[in-house]
Amino acid sequence: KVEGKVEPAEWNAMERARLNFPPHSSPNNKQLRLACQVRVMGGLSVYKFGGFWGQLSSPATDVSFSAPLGSAEFAVDGLKTMYRSVTTEKG
C-alpha cells in the first residue's frame, strides 16, 4: 500500500494486468501499486501486507528486507539501467 504522491496517480495497463491476477484479488488489490511502474513525487509511506506477495489483507508482521535470490533479485533492474544508458548515449 502506498500513501503519498506518485505518478501515474492511477493504475497503468501493467498494473491492471498484474494486480487483477492471482494471488491478488479485489477489493484488497485496489490499495496496491507496482513499485516498478510508479515514480515518487513527494513524501511517501509504503506498507507491506502479509503473504509472500503481500496479497493478504493484514499488515505484515516481519517487515525486514530479504532477497531470497540474492543479487539475482536485481539482475533485471541492472539490465534495464544498462540498456537505458546505452540508448541514451546513442541519442
Side-chain angles (χ1 to χ4, degrees), residues 40-74:
V40 176
M41 305 305 285
L44 190 72
S45 295
V46 177
Y47 300 90
K48 168 79 169 91
F49 287 86
F52 186 80
W53 291 283
Q55 74 274 17
L56 303 178
S57 60
S58 59
T61 55
D62 177 15
V63 293
S64 61
F65 174 77
S66 69
L69 301 177
S71 61
E73 297 271 349
F74 309 101

Side-chain angles (χ1 to χ4, degrees), residues 1-10 31 33 38-47:
K1 175 178 165 180
V2 173
E3 289 179 357
K5 187 170 182 182
V6 296
E7 292 292 334
E10 301 294 324
Q31 62 191 353
R33 297 300 304 263
V38 297
R39 182 171 293 197
V40 176
M41 305 305 285
L44 190 72
S45 295
V46 177
Y47 300 90

